[in-house]
């Protein structure tokens, strides 16, 4: 019986090789933050390599990891690092810890309505707003109006990153309205003079990004390429690709390398995120990180 | 056909027809099979959903994140059975896994323990009924709360806010759509001329053809802004907006069933009333409506079932904040929208996944029971009006 299955696997492998010789299929799934960038990468790469087909879908970092462990995707996009529990699930599914590649840097902006007079907030104030302690703009130097919190669905990596880094792991206020994407969130804030929300810096249309102070005495820093890359802007993160090491070869490997090459990183800038610093690129090089 | 023997039922209920036309007989049996398979399908789907959520109902899940950790160095001291149990593997997985992988898994377990929360609530099994239904004062909260925070250090799965959210939007939808749909049904079936009726009835039923995504988007972009300008409430997306949009979606359902019920009241009732000198309106309101009341009631129940199970509109237009309040102008999160928004990213077979399936079971039971009641009522009404008790 075992032999029979082995033979079947061999035949299947041969067949897949025969198919992949004609066209390599790469599936990418995961973070909604990365989805625009991933699609752009795929587009440019496919036009240069007509023999490779890349399918990109979003859904959230959690969705990407779930698909990675169910082997429903080759590459998982994530806007946060993989958790121990997800690693455990992957080991149980395919016996290896997924390989991690940093692919870009993102500064998380905090958005308010264009008409809002508040210009900057400290991290402590943000925490108190989003956990529901501070409920009125007048406590923050704004008009006497209740604060409407806009958040993201809890499958989003942006949600988890913000929760961990700004709320220090505390729960979001129950009255936070959840939006299915940064674009929808910005649209809501654009229509709501009392709204506040957070999202990737690549979107930045229709609402104003606040300056952020690390603490009350430090200067307010706006999210710009310079401040994010020299790490003076306090809310930034890496964006990642994860791949099953067994699959990290041929077309998939070439594609992952290309993403971290000059050409791939040029697109990062075009889409509105920040390219990885040179030092990190050469260190990540073409060798996989631990 | 003139021969009487041909029209008899024949031996054991088999008519001669099935020998003469075997194809028709085959098709008939085929259709019968298909209709039975529909029942089987419903049953199977329910079994699947129920099976996925069974561990929650039986209390077999444990979300407590405080677990005993064994240092990687002690791996050799464990018996295989102990190791398998510690790593949470099935015997087959354990047999197929090499030692290096097991070692990696042990390292990851140590990492997971380091990631786990130091909170006093970390030892609580939050998937037990007490935490699903009753408020509790979690660390960092100043009073006991009902809270839905499934992605958190301490996962909080209190479903009360979602149940209230579902009921709230459904209630608004029914309050908005029932008067309109019932009014339209009375008008179309009793008061209007046949020509107008021929044009009105399909027009209202065309509403059912609008995809709920389109309705949801319309509610999100246009209705939310317009209604906020009229009523001037705080949050732009709330149970009220979602309820109105939901109402639009269920109007055709309520209308067509109520209209059928009203139309099936025998004409002799109306004619008798009119002969005694009542106006058209009196006949409709005092005679026909009371006679058709069970059918109209069934229409409401069906509308309720449709509204509570609707997903796309509430996902887009309700704001999805899990607040426990009966104020319809607060943003709200329904059970269906929660399943739609969260199921995709849950770990297959994890607690969050099972809780969402449990919500699915609740919805299934509610809609199933409401539809069944409606069906029974409609049937009884038909028999009553046709004079077959």
């Amino acid at each position: 019986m075992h032999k029979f299955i082995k033979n079947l696997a061999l035949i299947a492998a041969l067949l897949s090789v025969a198919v992949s010789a004609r066209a390599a299929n790469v599936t990418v799934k995961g973070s909604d933050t990365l989805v625009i960038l991933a699609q752009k990468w795929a587009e440019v790469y496919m036009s240069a390599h007509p023999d490779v087909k890349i399918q990109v879908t979003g859904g959230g970092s959690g969705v990407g990891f779930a698909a990675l462990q169910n082997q429903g995707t080759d590459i998982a996009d994530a806007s946060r690092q993989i958790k121990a529990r997800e690693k455990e699930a992957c080991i149980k599914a395919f016996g290896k810890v997924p390989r991690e590649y940093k692919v870009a840097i993102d500064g998380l902006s905090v958005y308010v309505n264009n008409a809002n007079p508040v210009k900057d907030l400290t991290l402590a104030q943000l925490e108190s707003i989003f956990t529901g302690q501070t409920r009125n703009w007048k406590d923050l130097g704004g008009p006497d109006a209740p604060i409407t919190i806009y958040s993201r669905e809890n499958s989003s990596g942006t949600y988890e990153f913000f929760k961990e880094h700004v709320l220090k792991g505390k729960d979001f206020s129950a009255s936070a309205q959840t939006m299915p994407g940064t674009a929808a969130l910005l649209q809501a804030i654009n229509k709501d003079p009392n709204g506040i929300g957070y999202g990737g810096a690549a979107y930045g249309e229709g609402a104003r990004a606040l300056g952020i102070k690390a603490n009350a005495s430090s200067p307010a820093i706006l999210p710009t390429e310079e401040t994010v890359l020299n790490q003076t802007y306090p809310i930034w993160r890496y964006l990642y690709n994860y791949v099953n090491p067994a699959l990290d070869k041929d077309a998939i490997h070439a594609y992952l390398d290309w993403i971290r090459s000059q050409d791939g990183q040029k697109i990062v800038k075009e889409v509105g995120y920040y390219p990885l610093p040179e030092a990190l690129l050469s260190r990540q090089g073409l060798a996989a990180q631990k | 056909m003139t021969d009487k023997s041909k029209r008899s039922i024949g031996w054991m209920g088999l008519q001669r027809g099935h020998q003469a036309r075997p194809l028709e007989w085959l098709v008939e049996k085929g259709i019968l099979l298909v209709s039975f398979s529909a029942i089987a399908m419903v049953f199977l789907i329910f079994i699947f959903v129920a099976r996925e959520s069974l561990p929650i109902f039986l209390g077999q899940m444990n979300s407590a994140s405080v677990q005993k950790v064994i240092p990687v160095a002690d791996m050799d001291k464990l018996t295989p059975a102990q190791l398998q149990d510690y790593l949470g593997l099935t015997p087959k997985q354990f047999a197929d896994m090499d030692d290096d992988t097991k070692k990696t898994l042990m390292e990851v377990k140590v990492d997971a323990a380091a990631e786990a929360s130091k909170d006093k609530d970390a030892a609580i099994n939050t998937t037990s009924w007490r935490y699903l239904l009753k408020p509790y004062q979690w660390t960092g909260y100043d009073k006991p709360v009902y809270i839905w925070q499934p992605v958190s250090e301490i996962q909080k799965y209190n479903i009360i806010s979602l149940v209230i959210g579902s009921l709230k939007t459904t209630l608004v939808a029914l309050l908005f759509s029932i008067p309109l749909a019932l009014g339209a049904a009375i008008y179309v079936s009793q008061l209007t001329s046949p020509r107008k009726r021929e044009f009105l009835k399909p027009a209202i039923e065309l509403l059912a053809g609008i995809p709920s995504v389109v309705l949801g988007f319309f509610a999100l972009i246009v209705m939310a802004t317009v209604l906020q300008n009229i009523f001037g409430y705080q949050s732009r997306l709330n149970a009220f907006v979602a309820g109105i949009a939901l109402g639009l979606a269920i109007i055709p359902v309520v209308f067509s069933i109520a209209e059928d019920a009203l139309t099936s009241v025998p004409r002799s009732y109306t004619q008798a009333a009119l002969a005694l000198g009542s106006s058209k309106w009196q006949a409709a309101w005092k005679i026909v409506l009371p006679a058709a009341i069970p059918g109209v009631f069934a229409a409401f129940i069906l509308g309720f079932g449709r509204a509570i199970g609707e997903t796309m509109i509430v996902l887009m237009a309700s704001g999805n904040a899990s607040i426990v309040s009966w104020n319809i102008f607060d943003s709200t999160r329904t059970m269906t929208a929660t399943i739609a928004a969260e199921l995709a990213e849950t770990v297959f077979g994890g607690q969050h996944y099972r809780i969402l399936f449990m919500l699915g079971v609740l919805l299934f039971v509610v809609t199933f029971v409401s539809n069944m009641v409606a069906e029974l009522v409609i049937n009884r009404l038909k028999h009553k009006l046709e004079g077959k008790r």
Side-chain angles (χ1 to χ4, degrees), chain A residues 90-105:
Chain A
C90 283
I91 295 170
K92 283 178 187 173
F94 50 76
K96 297 233 173 39
V97 179
R99 197 170 287 165
E100 171 192 292
Y101 294 104
K102 297 186 172 97
V103 291
I105 290 177

Side-chain angles (χ1 to χ4, degrees), chain A residues 66-83:
Chain A
L68 191 68
Q69 78 200 39
N70 302 337
Q71 295 171 55
T73 182
D74 301 324
I75 299 172
D77 280 346
S79 49
R80 58 169 171 83
Q81 269 190 302
I82 192 166
K83 290 184 185 149

Side-chain angles (χ1 to χ4, degrees), chain B residues 293-313:
Chain B
I293 229 26
V296 173
F297 175 70
F300 298 168
I301 297 180
L302 226 55
F304 166 84
R306 188 64 60 87
I308 208 164
E310 157 56 48
T311 306
M312 208 61 216
I313 293 172

Side-chain angles (χ1 to χ4, degrees), chain A residues 13-37:
Chain A
L14 282 173
L15 272 177
S16 66
V17 166
V19 170
S20 65
R22 266 181 310 175
N25 259 322
V26 182
T27 50
V28 180
K29 191 176 186 133
S31 163
D32 276 332
T33 306
L34 261 162
V35 100
I36 302 177
L37 179 56

Side-chain angles (χ1 to χ4, degrees), chain A residues 30-256:
Chain A
S31 163
D32 276 332
T33 306
L34 261 162
V35 100
I36 302 177
L37 179 56
Q39 275 165 347
K40 192 85 192 149
W41 270 332
E43 221 172 280
V44 175
Y45 191 80
M46 281 194 287
S47 61
H49 305 76
D51 56 329
V52 181
K53 278 205 167 46
I54 303 166
Q55 289 181 347
V56 180
T57 39
S61 301
V63 178
F65 287 127
L68 191 68
Q69 78 200 39
N70 302 337
Q71 295 171 55
T73 182
D74 301 324
I75 299 172
D77 280 346
S79 49
R80 58 169 171 83
Q81 269 190 302
I82 192 166
K83 290 184 185 149
R85 216 168 263 221
E86 282 158 341
K87 274 190 205 164
E88 211 177 308
C90 283
I91 295 170
K92 283 178 187 173
F94 50 76
K96 297 233 173 39
V97 179
R99 197 170 287 165
E100 171 192 292
Y101 294 104
K102 297 186 172 97
V103 291
I105 290 177
D106 180 20
L108 224 57
S109 307
V110 178
Y111 295 106
V112 291
N113 187 280
N114 288 326
N116 194 323
V118 176
K119 291 273 178 285
D120 45 61
L121 293 171
T122 65
L123 285 175
Q125 281 172 321
L126 282 182
E127 184 189 327
S128 121
I129 291 170
F130 280 94
T131 51
Q133 310 294 335
T134 306
R135 292 159 189 265
N136 198 307
W137 281 111
K138 71 170 189 280
D139 306 335
L140 307 161
D144 181 5
I147 299 176
T148 327
I149 306 169
Y150 290 100
S151 172
R152 289 286 313 280
E153 274 303 344
N154 53 33
S155 57
S156 129
T158 311
Y159 168 99
E160 296 201 34
F161 177 84
F162 200 82
K163 187 169 190 157
E164 220 150 281
H165 288 257
V166 181
L167 307 193
K168 313 216 172 51
K170 294 194 183 79
D171 287 339
F172 276 93
S173 156
S175 59
Q177 302 193 25
T178 59
M179 294 288 148
T182 305
L185 183 135
L186 278 170
Q187 210 233 349
I189 292 176
N190 189 16
K191 285 204 162 40
D192 182 348
N194 307 324
I196 185 167
Y198 58 89
Y203 292 85
E205 292 290 317
R208 195 163 51 78
L210 287 172
I212 307 293
K213 299 174 179 177
N215 53 51
S217 56
S218 55
I221 312 282
L222 277 165
T224 62
E225 181 174 351
E226 190 192 351
T227 57
V228 172
L229 286 184
N230 68 15
Q231 297 177 10
T232 49
Y233 182 73
I235 321 173
W236 66 277
R237 59 179 171 176
Y238 287 114
L239 300 173
Y240 304 90
N241 275 175
Y242 284 87
V243 62
N244 175 352
L247 298 175
D248 193 4
K249 54 180 195 281
D250 307 340
I252 296 174
H253 186 78
Y255 179 53
L256 285 167

Side-chain angles (χ1 to χ4, degrees), chain B residues 226-291:
Chain B
V226 170
L227 290 170
Q228 191 181 23
N229 291 341
I230 294 171
F231 293 93
Y233 44 71
Q234 181 55 59
S235 68
R236 195 170 155 268
L237 299 176
N238 54 41
F240 178 67
V241 177
I244 299 285
L246 209 49
L248 287 178
I250 62 171
I251 279 177
V253 177
V254 179
F255 166 81
S256 63
I257 294 174
E259 202 265 343
D260 277 349
L262 289 163
T263 310
S264 65
V265 174
R267 296 279 303 160
S268 55
Y269 285 34
T270 333
Q271 281 157 356
L274 292 173
L276 289 169
S278 70
S279 68
K280 237 181 169 181
W281 176 250
Q282 279 172 319
W285 192 250
K286 296 240 170 84
I287 307 291
V288 179
L289 189 60

